[in-house]
Amino acid sequence: MDTASEAAPARGRMTARRRRRLVRGVQYAVIAVVVALLAAVADWDRIAQSFLQFDIAADMFPAVWIPFWNTIVYTVLAFVFGMVVGVPIALMRVSTFAPYRWFATAYVEVFRGLPALLVLFLVGFGVPQAFPGIQYPGGVYGQVAIGLGLTSSAYIAESVRAGIQAVPKGQVEASRSLGMSHTRTMVTVVLPQALRIVVPPLTNELVMLTKDSSLVFVLGVTASTMELSKFARNELTDTANATPLLVGGLLYLLLTIPLGLLARRLENREDQR
Amino acid sequence: MTDPIVRISGLRKRFGDNEVLRGIDLEIAEGEVVCLIGPSGSGKSTLLRCVNLLEEPTEGAITAAGHDMTGPDADLDLARRDIGMVFQHFNLFSHMTILDNLVVPQQRVCKLPKAEAVAEARRLLAQVGIEGKERAKPAQLSGGQQQRVAIARALAVKPRLMLFDEPTSALDPEIVGEVLAVMKGLAAEGMTMLVVTHEMAFAREVADRVLFLDGGVIVEQGPPAEVLTDPKTERARTFLHRVLHPAD
């Protein structure tokens, strides 16, 4: 190391190590300047007044826990629906029976292509209008499970399909050579491995759903069925202050960041296999 | 003699324009150990994989272990129970424990109750010399151990015939022996075996018959002492010379 750093200046140039250090130093300096500028330019009193009113934040509790809980419930319901529909769709996507593939492809293209909001409207208002007698199980909860779950199932189906195709062919051959049928092989050998492979993208989907649950307000929710975004927005209107948005945002992060950490841990665990 | 356990006639296999097998006729008697040798691309693995129909023949008829594999009413799931297969890369179910690799096929295929399946799995693992690894995952075992488990798994569904597709080619040289030893034991018990291999010493010692394949046809066959020591065809001579004296 020493001989190298001595030899290089002899050629009248910086060593690679000194050059790296200089570049790194410049980057830190730029960041420091930007932060300092922002700090100087921003009107901190104004910002604090808009976002950091502690009494307003305190007033949101404990009422905020109901919409917080609803956000979790909507997310979980939609995810469960998405899995229950998405996994069979994924299996149809890789089926040897062509009509299954056609149907699954059409399904995925439609529900991946339509905005989640539009699907929610369709489920909440379009379908009841077309079929007047229809009753969703669980009322708004059923509507949300289906409305958000349909979109989610398309994404889940694509993830699971990728996972199925990532399972080594030798696993299928070994299973078939033991006399297990195609279906049995799928259920016992391929799907368990595929689902392990797609845990990271599925966690990602769960995070997306947590945020998409903010669309539920379009169905017209009451105080007991309200989710977090709607609640925060109502508070914003009532107090004419942005602090509720900050609180609501932090509560979303309270859900999504642990999910992200969990995903990373599961990913690492898979790497070790 | 009784009916052959494998009968292949007029077998051809094409992958696109590439004809890998160009007319194979082969009969294997019950209890016979047959080694398939030949240069890479000669079609030996394809031939093996046609026997249990992992590859579908383009032409020809195959019966194996009493099942008409190529007939219109073939029940391949039923037939494959009777035809065990061991792969070059082991292909143990990576999400299951070693024990479950043996137990689940017995439960699912042979409909055995769990307790019986576990007892049989333990017996087979002991037979291939795997002890104390029941709860381990395949990735925690060495290649040689994995391949021995794979043999035990194939035996778990009680096959009458075993196919080996280059079972030692993915192993480090010093652990090839432990797998070959298990295979020798199996041959000694009278199992019918069809083995694609590059282990000439194994073929010489264990095989009843050696087939030399090249260009999708059986070029030469006979007892190992003849085929391996004194091949009649030039192609077999060249191949054997290259395999036995790689440094020349």
Side-chain angles (χ1 to χ4, degrees):
Chain A
M1 210 50 144
D2 275 339
T3 52
S5 57
E6 279 162 23
R11 284 187 281 129
R13 299 187 53 198
M14 269 187 282
T15 64
R17 189 149 58 116
R18 287 187 60 187
R19 201 159 51 234
R20 260 200 314 272
R21 220 183 277 168
L22 183 70
V23 169
R24 183 61 51 83
V26 169
Q27 287 171 343
Y28 276 123
V30 168
I31 292 169
V33 168
V34 169
V35 170
L37 268 176
L38 282 177
V41 167
D43 182 346
W44 287 105
D45 283 343
R46 183 71 183 271
I47 291 173
Q49 222 166 38
S50 306
F51 282 102
L52 299 174
Q53 299 279 350
F54 289 107
D55 47 338
I56 291 179
D59 276 350
M60 292 173 72
F61 293 87
V64 73
W65 293 123
I66 291 173
F68 180 76
W69 174 245
N70 279 333
T71 292
I72 296 174
V73 170
Y74 290 144
T75 304
V76 169
L77 284 175
F79 187 75
V80 168
F81 182 91
M83 285 296 283
V84 167
V85 175
V87 171
I89 294 284
L91 288 171
M92 290 166 89
R93 280 276 269 185
V94 298
S95 169
T96 50
F97 186 54
Y100 283 166
R101 283 203 307 277
W102 299 333
F103 172 79
T105 307
Y107 181 95
V108 167
E109 290 302 336
V110 166
F111 287 108
R112 195 174 52 176
L114 294 179
L117 189 61
L118 188 96
V119 177
L120 206 53
F121 269 125
L122 275 175
V123 169
F125 304 110
V127 172
Q129 203 173 8
F131 308 92
I134 205 160
Q135 281 286 338
Y136 288 105
V140 73
Y141 292 99
Q143 286 182 348
V144 172
I146 297 169
L148 292 179
L150 282 171
T151 307
S152 186
S153 68
Y155 285 97
I156 289 173
E158 279 302 88
S159 292
V160 172
R161 177 187 61 83
I164 289 172
Q165 287 171 341
V167 174
K169 208 167 139 253
Q171 296 283 311
V172 176
E173 290 184 347
S175 175
R176 297 307 301 275
S177 76
L178 285 162
M180 293 205 240
S181 69
H182 176 77
T183 311
R184 172 51 64 195
T185 298
M186 268 292 166
V187 172
T188 308
V189 176
V190 177
L191 263 187
Q193 294 188 41
L195 289 177
R196 254 161 246 233
I197 293 171
V198 298
V199 161
L202 286 187
T203 319
N204 202 30
E205 179 59 29
L206 206 51
V207 171
M208 302 294 282
L209 267 175
T210 310
K211 299 185 296 175
D212 281 351
S213 68
S214 65
L215 299 172
V216 166
F217 77 92
V218 303
L219 295 176
V221 290
T222 64
S224 65
T225 58
M226 198 178 288
E227 41 64 52
L228 203 46
S229 284
K230 171 77 171 160
F231 181 80
R233 218 159 41 116
N234 284 358
E235 294 285 307
L236 170 79
T237 322
D238 291 351
T239 61
N241 186 278
T243 305
L245 295 186
L246 186 78
V247 174
L250 288 174
L251 287 175
Y252 273 109
L253 296 183
L254 192 65
L255 293 175
T256 56
I257 289 176
L259 278 177
L261 291 175
L262 182 71
R264 206 173 313 165
R265 268 188 66 172
L266 292 171
E267 225 166 320
N268 289 341
R269 198 194 64 185
E270 291 306 302
D271 285 348
Q272 285 161 12
R273 279 202 311 138
Chain B
M1 235 170 78
T2 51
D3 269 356
I5 191 164
V6 176
R7 178 181 280 144
I8 298 170
S9 56
L11 172 63
R12 288 173 179 275
K13 175 66 185 175
R14 261 190 296 275
F15 293 104
D17 289 339
N18 184 19
E19 188 166 37
V20 179
L21 297 177
R22 304 162 183 265
I24 301 277
D25 296 288
L26 175 63
E27 288 189 357
I28 297 173
E30 189 126 32
E32 199 177 9
V33 177
V34 176
C35 283
L36 286 169
I37 62 170
S40 67
S42 59
K44 28 186 213 309
S45 281
T46 307
L47 171 56
L48 194 77
R49 292 162 58 86
C50 278
V51 173
N52 66 352
L53 246 74
L54 278 188
E55 301 289 355
E56 200 172 340
T58 312
E59 258 178 60
I62 298 170
T63 59
H67 302 274
D68 181 4
M69 304 297 288
T70 46
D73 299 325
D75 183 343
L76 293 180
D77 295 332
L78 202 63
R80 284 176 180 143
R81 274 191 219 185
D82 293 333
I83 311 169
M85 186 155 193
V86 175
F87 300 85
Q88 181 177 357
H89 296 288
F90 333 132
N91 299 354
L92 292 177
F93 301 134
S94 56
H95 62 300
M96 294 182 193
T97 63
I98 295 303
L99 192 67
D100 280 347
N101 262 279
L102 275 71
V103 169
V104 171
Q106 294 183 74
Q107 285 179 294
R108 298 307 181 196
V109 177
C110 311
K111 310 290 177 208
L112 276 191
K114 174 141 193 181
E116 268 177 59
V118 169
E120 177 65 6
R122 294 217 165 101
R123 192 186 69 75
L124 284 166
L125 285 175
Q127 186 187 330
V128 299
I130 301 287
E131 312 268 2
K133 300 281 185 188
E134 288 182 4
R135 304 179 75 85
K137 289 287 179 70
Q140 295 167 282
L141 270 59
S142 75
Q145 289 172 327
Q146 286 190 57
Q147 192 62 299
R148 283 183 283 149
V149 174
I151 293 172
R153 178 181 65 175
L155 293 173
V157 295
K158 304 274 176 289
R160 297 175 51 202
L161 160 70
M162 287 282 283
L163 309 173
F164 293 85
D165 190 2
E166 303 201 24
T168 58
S169 296
L171 299 177
D172 289 335
E174 78 270 20
I175 51 178
V176 164
E178 65 188 51
V179 172
L180 293 180
V182 169
M183 290 168 64
K184 265 181 228 172
L186 209 53
E189 285 174 20
M191 177 62 80
T192 312
M193 293 163 59
L194 185 54
V195 186
V196 172
T197 187
H198 295 289
E199 298 293 333
M200 296 305 154
F202 174 81
R204 191 185 304 269
E205 187 182 343
V206 182
D208 299 307
R209 183 157 46 127
V210 173
L211 305 185
F212 174 70
L213 255 78
D214 196 13
V217 293
I218 297 172
V219 175
E220 188 166 342
Q221 60 174 308
E226 283 174 27
V227 176
L228 297 178
T229 320
D230 184 24
K232 291 180 188 60
T233 57
E234 183 57 38
R235 275 194 282 180
R237 235 191 316 274
T238 317
F239 169 75
L240 282 168
H241 186 79
R242 268 204 303 261
V243 172
L244 298 173
H245 309 282
D248 286 4

